[in-house]
Amino acid sequence: MANTILELLDQEQGQYVSGEAISRALNVSRTAVWKQIRKLEDQGYVIEASRKLGYRLVFKPEPLSLEKLNELLKTQRFAREIRLLDEVDTTQNEAQRWAIAGAPEGALVIAERQQNGRGRMGRSWVSPYTKGIWMSTILRPSTPIHCAPQLTLLTAVALCRSLRRTTELEIGIKWPNDLLIDGRKISGILLESAAEDERIKYIVAGTGISVNLDPSDYPEELFARATSLSIAAGRKFSREVVIADFMLEWEQLYDLYLKEGFGPIGTLWEALSVSLHKNVTIQTPQGDLSGRAIGLHDSGAIQLQLENGDVKLVFSGEMGQPKEQ
């Protein structure tokens, strides 16, 4: 029944169809029509309802095409094994289970929707159906566990460079790994690692990219701090193109890192940063720290010059919006 309602709405090309007309066409009650409309909305369709006019189709979800993505990919290892799922609790959990089962480096889990998407510091992540990129990639670097923060920054650099190229938007990085447009977040990165004898066994790198979200997809309190690529650019983007370009950029920078170390990556990060040479406050487990962000340490820590002139290395925390002096 839901598919028939969808066909009726689609035929009208964005015009309203009365609930009475739909119920007559299907020979069901108005209540039954409403229940089927709700089912379609749960599947990602956006349907506007009016008491006087009826229903009209505003948005049709466009599921990712694995065939199209594979055609676009130019990587050697990254995303050469993909699990594309309709709905999961989080892609991080799925990828961790796959990593434990022996998934190769570069294996990728993508979901059209997450029930409990999570970001850094235990925060939830808005991930509506088919509108963004919610994915987790398995890495197996032969590096000590203390190098894991460097890989977080590397991922941010790769994603920022790729998105600037594919969208032509002015995107910057807020330490350590939030991607911003005009101070509003469009992407978050979460790396979770497993180690043995001080060596990394695997890393699961979660990446959330708000690609084609509309303002209505955000809770009101979040929209002041977050946006999407399509809102910022005024047009929609192919998610397959975004994923394929990011994977190639990431693989190339990852190989550079394994060959030459963190130095080149740190230089690229500083060039894209919106945090450096500004006054910032960082929430840390030990309390808030305020000062001027003067540079990036080779470890991945931010160098914070305090009011008394001392320089402190901050390895983890939540940075507020950078402020000019």
Side-chain angles (χ1 to χ4, degrees):
M1 188 188 300
N3 287 339
T4 306
I5 293 175
L6 187 59
E7 289 173 6
L8 289 171
L9 296 176
D10 202 20
Q11 286 171 5
E12 295 303 313
Q13 299 182 338
Q15 300 302 308
Y16 282 97
V17 182
S18 71
E20 183 180 350
I22 297 173
S23 62
R24 278 202 313 267
L26 275 65
N27 197 27
V28 297
S29 68
R30 296 282 292 273
T31 301
V33 170
W34 178 80
K35 287 181 179 178
Q36 295 303 314
I37 293 288
R38 292 298 302 271
K39 283 185 179 180
L40 289 169
E41 289 175 335
D42 288 342
Q43 294 170 22
Y45 292 90
V46 178
I47 299 171
E48 216 169 70
S50 165
R51 284 186 178 274
K52 293 182 179 180
L53 301 174
Y55 303 98
R56 74 183 185 99
L57 183 61
V58 177
F59 172 82
K60 291 192 296 184
E62 296 181 22
L64 277 163
S65 166
L66 200 54
E67 181 180 1
K68 180 180 177 181
L69 178 56
N70 282 322
E71 288 175 357
L72 291 168
L73 282 166
K74 297 178 181 177
T75 53
Q76 298 298 313
R77 304 184 313 287
F78 282 29
R80 283 303 165 187
E81 290 199 24
I82 302 175
R83 289 182 177 176
L84 176 57
L85 306 171
D86 189 66
E87 184 171 325
V88 296
D89 54 351
T90 77
T91 57
Q92 286 293 92
N93 292 347
E94 290 289 330
Q96 284 172 0
R97 288 190 282 267
W98 196 9
I100 292 169
E105 180 164 74
L108 175 64
V109 175
I110 311 173
E112 290 289 16
R113 174 164 49 199
Q114 298 182 109
Q115 295 173 335
N116 300 301
R118 65 178 184 267
R120 294 179 64 249
M121 316 293 283
R123 293 186 176 90
S124 60
W125 184 264
V126 177
S127 46
Y129 192 66
T130 73
K131 290 192 174 184
I133 294 170
W134 329 119
M135 62 185 183
S136 296
T137 310
I138 297 166
L139 304 177
R140 297 188 182 276
S142 57
T143 51
I145 188 64
H146 69 261
C147 292
Q150 297 177 346
L151 290 163
T152 300
L153 299 174
L154 184 156
T155 305
V157 169
L159 184 56
C160 189
R161 282 166 58 90
S162 173
L163 290 179
R164 286 170 69 101
R165 180 168 54 246
T166 55
T167 68
E168 299 182 344
L169 292 167
E170 289 294 320
I171 302 170
I173 306 171
K174 177 169 76 74
W175 183 86
N177 55 17
D178 286 346
L179 268 58
L180 308 181
I181 298 174
D182 294 330
R184 297 166 72 187
K185 187 171 178 177
I186 55 99
S187 177
I189 296 164
L190 174 66
L191 266 67
E192 297 175 311
S193 57
E196 189 175 84
D197 298 328
E198 297 302 312
R199 308 294 294 186
I200 295 173
K201 285 180 64 178
Y202 65 82
I203 286 175
V204 174
T207 311
I209 310 170
S210 298
V211 183
N212 293 324
L213 279 71
D214 300 308
S216 60
D217 291 312
Y218 295 92
E220 187 176 344
E221 68 277 8
L222 182 60
F223 189 56
R225 307 190 308 273
T227 189
S228 71
L229 299 176
S230 65
I231 293 171
R235 61 188 178 95
K236 301 294 185 183
F237 293 95
S238 162
R239 293 183 296 153
E240 292 90 351
V241 168
V242 172
I243 293 170
D245 193 88
F246 168 47
M247 286 292 154
L248 181 60
E249 180 73 25
W250 195 10
E251 183 178 85
Q252 291 173 342
L253 289 182
Y254 181 74
D255 287 344
L256 176 66
Y257 168 78
L258 294 178
K259 182 180 179 181
E260 299 187 21
F262 184 67
I265 306 302
T267 300
L268 291 172
W269 187 95
E270 289 186 336
L272 295 167
S273 172
V274 299
S275 306
L276 293 184
H277 314 301
K278 295 179 181 177
N279 296 324
V280 299
T281 297
I282 303 175
Q283 296 176 358
T284 76
Q286 294 76 38
D288 289 359
L289 289 171
S290 295
R292 189 167 181 81
I294 60 172
L296 190 66
H297 191 263
D298 283 348
S299 63
I302 198 80
Q303 299 180 75
L304 193 66
Q305 187 171 44
L306 307 179
E307 290 184 3
N308 64 7
D310 292 346
V311 175
K312 185 175 182 63
L313 298 184
V314 184
F315 290 89
S316 65
E318 182 68 15
M319 180 181 285
Q321 284 289 7
K323 300 176 181 177
E324 300 295 342
Q325 191 170 15

